[in-house]
């Protein structure tokens, strides 16, 4: 893989939230929400990012857009030069100046999880969708309105919806508004932060299909954050699995689901329901909760809940390494274990 | 929207009737014979009887009630026992004086609280926020008469910058407006701060930041408009309180307003004036509430009542 294909290259990204206590608000501990994430996103692909609640998926997505300031790390993004071709050198989002950041926002957008709270209730749909253009100082007022109507059409809403307020729409429609807003600036990269998990199952499929259609139409690259594996399997080219602030496994979708190399991935797979009554699979129950990110376990973060854990797992942090063709995992025993994937259906 | 306004105006009719009924009851509930009160304690019996007959106090209650109601509905609130002027003539100019004081105070409170509250929320939990919090707590805890007397001592006596009392020039407005407004400013600042902290934590604020909006736009367009609803409620209440509760301020600064008129009429047992003042206070309160409701509909599209 040549590096020119990369649109986004995240290196050793960390985000620690301080825990403050006492009268003087001294920092007594750090919540290590994102603890050294390496992630490369290729132009035009959909990279799924999965993991259970609280593992740092959302924080990673937001830190990439600098909606929360990263504690450390590099977020290299390939912008466009004056002719519109991909830039040779990548820009570091973390150290970008406010002016650079404003330009980067044209290229990097986000779709939020909750369509009920992410739309300003005091603004009409047209205002919500057109505001990014206004902030960026692009187009005249009437052009912006035309673009808003056009975008509403692209996400399957009708032009007469433009004058209404968010509360007049259903959850699925509101998510479509959120998508239209994210696309207003014609971005390259869209971070989709659990875009369907707040929606009814029947609506989920519609929105997923819409996202795929838009990807084709606008040439988008998605970082698709989710906890629903069947959704991720459907939409992603590659999938990254996150546990307690770290990426534990990354591979092409088929490879990851068919041949997982990390015990945590296997446990996730075993939780996916399969629509076949004769299919019996051993359900791997992870004991206990996710350990506290304030004080993560020693060695491999997963060892207290891992059924394959050995002594070395308690002491030594496993390296994140290649375990196959375009397949990375961080497990001491990745090569010796044979783990069950998802039955392909 | 028009239906809302008409509906609310119509609602004022039963409210007004209830208030008039209450005023009538007040007249008969306070201890003492109204005729004796008018004639004076040592008046001869024949004078008292004459007054009783002239004012209709000898009639059964329901007839008196009907007559009183009819008079008030025609705009006749009676005649002051002392000046013999119609009550309306003494009350209206006083209302204007009080309204000037109240509106300027609330304007002052609004500007100060929006600025301090927003700044406080933007610097939430940092030293600037703590300072604003302490100052506003002090403001809430200090009674109006303390603020007023301290202000007079400092600005009028010690520095000799501003007049002590009266209302003959714009400089006379400064101290009463600040005295009356400071308390409301303190209360509102607390409210603005907590509403803004709340609003700034909402997801659509992150949406606005993702759009690349500069911080001032995020705070004053996206957050403030959403935080405004409870603030408008409290502001309406504050305006009502300021209109009615300006009695102490008016007394301290010798301000010829409605509050002082009412207090004086109670002290001199000039019942028609008391009734008139209460009637107008009540009507103003209802009007202010109507305005607050309309502002609601403007602030929050979800409450447009059509």
């Amino acid at each position: 893989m040549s590096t020119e294909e990369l649109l986004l290259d995240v290196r050793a990204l960390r985000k620690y939230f301080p825990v403050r206590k006492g009268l003087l608000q001294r920092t007594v501990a750090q919540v290590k929400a994102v603890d050294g994430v390496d992630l490369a996103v290729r132009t035009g692909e959909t990279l799924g990012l999965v993991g259970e609640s609280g593992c740092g998926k959302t924080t990673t997505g937001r830190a990439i857009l600098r909606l929360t300031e990263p504690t450390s790390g590099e977020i290299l993004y390939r912008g466009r030069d004056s002719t519109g071709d991909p830039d040779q050198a990548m820009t570091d989002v973390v150290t970008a100046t406010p002016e650079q950041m404003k330009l980067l926002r044209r290229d990097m957008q986000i779709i939020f999880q909750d369509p009920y709270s992410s739309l300003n209730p005091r603004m009409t749909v047209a205002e919500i969708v057109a505001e990014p253009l206004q902030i960026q100082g692009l187009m005249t007022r009437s052009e912006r309105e035309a673009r808003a109507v056009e975008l509403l059409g692209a996400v399957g809403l009708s032009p007469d919806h433009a004058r209404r307020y968010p509360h007049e729409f259903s959850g699925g429609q509101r998510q479509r508004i959120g998508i239209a807003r994210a696309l207003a600036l014609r971005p390259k990269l869209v971070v989709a932060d659990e875009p369907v998990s707040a929606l009814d199952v029947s609506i989920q499929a519609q929105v997923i299909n819409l996202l795929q259609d838009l990807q084709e139409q606008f040439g988008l690259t998605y970082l698709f954050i989710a906890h629903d594996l069947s959704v991720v399997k459907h939409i992603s080219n590659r999938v990254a699995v996150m546990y307690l602030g770290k990426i534990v496994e990354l591979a092409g979708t088929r490879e990851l689901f068919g041949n997982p190399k990390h015990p945590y991935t296997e446990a996730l797979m075993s939780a996916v329901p399969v629509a076949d009554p004769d299919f019996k699979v051993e359900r791997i129950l992870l004991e206990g909760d996710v350990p506290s990110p304030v004080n993560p376990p020693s060695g491999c973060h997963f060892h207290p809940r891992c059924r394959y854990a050995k002594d070395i797992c308690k002491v030594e942090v496993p390296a994140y390494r290649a375990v196959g063709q375009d397949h990375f995992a961080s497990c001491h025993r990745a090569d010796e274990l044979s783990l069950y994937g998802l039955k392909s259906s | 929207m028009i239906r809302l306004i008409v509906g609310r105006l119509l609602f004022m009719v039963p409210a007004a009737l209830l208030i008039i009924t209450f005023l009538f009851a007040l007249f008969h509930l306070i201890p003492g014979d109204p005729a004796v009160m008018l004639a004076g304690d040592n008046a001869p019996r024949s004078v008292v009887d004459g007054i009783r007959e002239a004012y209709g106090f000898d009639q059964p209650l329901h007839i008196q009630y009907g007559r009183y109601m009819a008079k008030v509905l025609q705009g006749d609130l009676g005649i002051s026992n002392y000046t013999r002027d119609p009550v309306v003539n003494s009350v209206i100019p006083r209302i204007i004086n009080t309204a000037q004081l109240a509106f300027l105070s609330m304007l002052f409170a609004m500007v100060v609280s929006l600025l301090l509250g927003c700044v406080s929320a933007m610097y939430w939990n940092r030293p600037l926020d703590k300072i604003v919090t302490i100052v506003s707590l002090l403001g809430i805890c200090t009674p109006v008469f303390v603020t007023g007397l301290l202000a007079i001592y400092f600005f009028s006596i010690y520095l000799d910058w501003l007049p002590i009392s009266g209302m003959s020039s714009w400089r006379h407005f400064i101290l009463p407006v600040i005295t009356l407004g400071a308390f409301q400013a303190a209360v509102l600042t607390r409210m603005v701060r907590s509403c803004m902290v709340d609003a700034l934590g909402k997801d659509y604020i992150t949406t606005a930041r993702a759009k690349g909006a500069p911080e001032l736009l995020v705070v004053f367009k996206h957050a403030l408009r959403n935080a405004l609803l409870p603030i408008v409620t409290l502001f309406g209440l504050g305006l009502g309180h300021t209109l009615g509760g300006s009695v102490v301020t008016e007394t301290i600064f010798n301000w010829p307003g409605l509050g002082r008129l009412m207090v004086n009429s109670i002290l001199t047992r000039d019942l028609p004036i008391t009734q008139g003042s209460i009637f107008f206070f009540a009507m103003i309160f209802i009007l202010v509430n109507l305005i607050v409701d309309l502002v609601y509909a403007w602030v929050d599209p979800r409450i447009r009542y059509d």
Side-chain angles (χ1 to χ4, degrees):
Chain A
M1 177 187 68
S2 76
T3 52
E4 261 114 83
E5 285 177 62
L6 290 184
L7 182 66
L8 180 77
D9 191 4
V10 178
R11 292 179 189 168
L13 181 68
R14 287 188 168 77
K15 175 62 191 179
Y16 295 170
F17 293 101
V19 180
R20 293 184 200 279
K21 257 195 186 151
L23 193 64
L24 297 172
Q25 299 285 300
R26 276 180 311 126
T27 304
V28 291
Q30 308 269 7
V31 177
K32 296 172 179 168
V34 178
D35 197 11
V37 162
D38 295 288
L39 201 61
V41 184
R42 298 170 190 163
T43 306
E45 77 167 344
T46 299
L47 177 63
L49 183 59
V50 297
E52 61 198 298
S53 300
C55 73
K57 310 183 292 284
T58 295
T59 308
T60 304
R62 293 191 175 203
I64 288 172
L65 298 185
R66 263 181 76 186
L67 293 173
T68 45
E69 285 297 321
T71 307
S72 69
E74 284 180 325
I75 301 164
L76 302 176
Y77 176 79
R78 189 181 307 284
R80 282 164 288 190
D81 63 15
S82 49
T83 59
D85 293 326
D87 244 333
Q88 282 308 302
M90 296 177 100
T91 322
D92 189 355
V93 178
V94 179
T95 55
T97 61
E99 293 79 41
Q100 282 176 311
M101 208 54 228
K102 197 173 168 183
L103 284 176
L104 280 168
R105 297 234 176 270
R106 294 188 191 178
D107 265 22
M108 312 167 81
Q109 279 296 327
I110 182 166
I111 299 167
F112 291 99
Q113 174 176 10
D114 185 351
Y116 291 92
S117 63
S118 61
L119 303 175
N120 190 332
R122 308 290 144 81
M123 292 168 76
T124 64
V125 170
E127 284 167 354
I128 289 170
V129 174
E131 205 196 13
L133 299 164
Q134 191 188 346
I135 289 167
Q136 295 283 346
L138 303 171
M139 306 197 204
T140 64
R141 196 190 170 87
S142 54
E143 281 171 340
R144 287 199 298 264
E145 273 174 28
R147 166 72 73 92
V149 168
E150 178 196 324
L151 282 162
L152 289 180
V155 298
L157 295 171
S158 73
D160 53 296
H161 285 143
R163 300 248 160 268
R164 300 208 202 150
Y165 288 92
H167 68 272
E168 299 172 61
F169 294 89
S170 68
Q173 287 175 314
R174 297 179 72 147
Q175 196 56 292
R176 286 167 191 268
I177 297 167
I179 294 170
R181 196 224 86 236
L183 298 184
L185 290 165
R186 296 264 190 276
K188 290 278 159 217
L189 175 71
V190 173
V191 174
D193 183 7
E194 308 218 18
V196 295
S197 59
L199 304 177
D200 286 348
V201 178
S202 58
I203 310 294
Q204 286 190 357
Q206 294 175 16
V207 173
I208 292 288
N209 291 337
L210 172 70
L211 285 171
Q212 287 188 313
D213 292 345
L214 292 170
Q215 180 167 36
E216 219 165 279
Q217 194 180 338
F218 294 106
L220 301 170
T221 303
Y222 286 140
L223 176 60
F224 193 94
I225 300 169
H227 61 248
D228 184 337
L229 287 171
S230 45
V231 169
V232 169
K233 183 165 177 254
H234 177 74
I235 197 170
S236 310
N237 304 110
R238 292 192 304 152
V239 178
V241 180
M242 210 169 159
Y243 185 77
L244 216 60
K246 284 187 159 128
I247 305 279
V248 294
E249 186 163 8
L250 174 83
T253 305
R254 188 179 292 260
E255 165 79 2
L256 186 97
F257 279 79
N259 182 23
K261 288 292 182 194
H262 196 284
Y264 179 62
T265 313
E266 183 194 33
L268 284 183
M269 300 296 167
S270 80
V272 176
V274 176
D276 177 357
D278 296 328
F279 182 73
K280 294 270 189 296
V281 68
E282 188 194 357
R283 181 89 158 72
I284 303 169
L285 286 175
L286 291 180
E287 308 219 335
D289 288 325
V290 186
S292 161
V294 176
N295 195 7
S298 62
C300 172
H301 285 358
F302 187 59
H303 85 258
R305 301 169 82 192
C306 181
R307 56 189 203 156
Y308 307 107
K310 286 188 144 184
D311 286 344
I312 184 175
C313 303
K314 293 174 190 164
V315 192
E316 202 175 306
V317 181
Y320 181 60
R321 61 199 165 95
V323 291
Q325 171 81 41
D326 211 12
H327 192 156
F328 303 84
S330 57
C331 176
H332 291 300
R333 306 186 63 199
D335 300 324
E336 48 183 299
L337 294 172
S338 81
L339 304 174
Y340 287 102
L342 193 65
K343 186 196 171 197
S344 56
S345 48
Chain B
M1 201 64 170
I2 288 167
R3 265 181 61 195
L4 171 74
I5 298 174
V6 172
R8 280 315 176 99
L9 287 174
L10 282 178
F11 170 75
M12 286 180 78
V13 175
L17 291 181
L18 266 175
I19 293 161
I20 298 169
T21 307
F22 166 74
L23 293 176
F24 176 78
L26 185 73
F27 194 81
H28 289 270
L29 280 176
I30 56 170
D33 182 338
V36 174
M37 224 150 59
L38 275 171
D41 286 339
N42 301 321
R45 171 129 202 131
S46 58
V47 176
V48 174
D49 284 343
I51 287 176
R52 181 167 290 137
E53 212 168 307
Y55 281 79
F57 295 150
D58 54 346
Q59 301 289 328
L61 267 184
H62 64 275
I63 293 182
Q64 287 191 44
Y65 176 65
R67 282 184 185 166
Y68 182 72
M69 185 68 89
K71 270 169 64 186
V72 174
L73 287 179
Q74 289 165 39
D76 178 7
L77 280 161
I79 288 167
S80 163
N81 288 347
Y82 285 85
T83 62
R84 311 310 294 173
D85 279 336
V87 168
V88 178
N89 289 3
S90 3
V91 170
I92 297 282
R94 297 301 191 99
I95 290 179
I96 295 168
N97 291 345
T98 294
Q100 283 179 341
L101 181 60
F103 280 109
L104 285 174
S105 303
M106 286 313 284
L107 191 69
F108 169 78
M110 187 170 69
V111 172
V112 169
S113 63
L114 284 181
L115 278 177
L116 287 184
C118 287
V119 165
S120 203
M122 282 168 76
Y123 294 90
W124 184 61
N125 254 346
R126 285 194 252 162
L128 191 60
D129 173 36
K130 304 235 155 121
I131 293 170
V132 171
T133 304
I134 291 169
V135 171
S136 58
L137 273 177
L138 272 177
I140 293 174
C141 297
T142 317
V144 170
F145 62 87
V146 175
T147 324
L149 293 177
L150 283 177
I152 289 179
Y153 177 73
F154 192 70
F155 290 105
S156 307
I157 297 171
Y158 186 72
L159 293 172
D160 198 15
W161 284 353
L162 295 164
I164 293 175
S165 69
M167 59 169 296
S168 39
S169 77
W170 64 267
R171 294 175 64 235
H172 288 85
F173 277 84
I174 297 174
L175 285 186
V177 163
I178 291 177
T179 304
L180 194 53
F183 174 76
Q184 292 296 335
V187 175
L188 283 167
T189 301
R190 304 278 303 147
M191 191 72 177
V192 171
R193 174 184 174 272
S194 68
C195 291
M196 284 296 289
V197 166
D198 194 41
L200 282 170
K202 290 275 165 61
D203 277 354
Y204 51 76
I205 296 301
T206 317
T207 309
R209 294 210 170 103
K211 290 172 179 177
E215 197 58 25
L216 281 181
L217 192 72
V218 171
V219 170
F220 286 99
K221 181 177 171 189
H222 290 267
L224 186 58
R225 242 195 117 185
N226 282 288
L228 221 47
L229 206 59
I231 299 170
V232 168
T233 313
L234 199 66
F235 186 80
L237 279 175
L239 189 58
H241 279 195
T242 320
L243 278 165
S246 52
V247 178
V248 176
T249 315
E250 288 179 3
T251 309
I252 295 173
F253 292 97
N254 205 15
W255 194 267
L258 191 58
R260 240 181 80 214
L261 181 72
M262 186 165 74
V263 170
N264 285 340
S265 74
I266 291 169
L267 294 176
T268 57
R269 309 204 82 181
D270 192 348
L271 212 62
I273 295 278
T274 316
Q275 287 174 318
S277 311
I278 295 175
F279 180 76
F280 279 103
F281 267 134
M283 286 290 126
I284 291 171
F285 226 95
I286 295 174
L287 260 180
V288 166
N289 275 312
L290 168 69
I291 295 167
V292 167
D293 276 357
L294 295 183
V295 173
Y296 262 34
W298 170 72
V299 168
D300 190 346
R302 285 171 295 193
I303 323 185
R304 288 191 188 149
Y305 311 75
D306 46 12

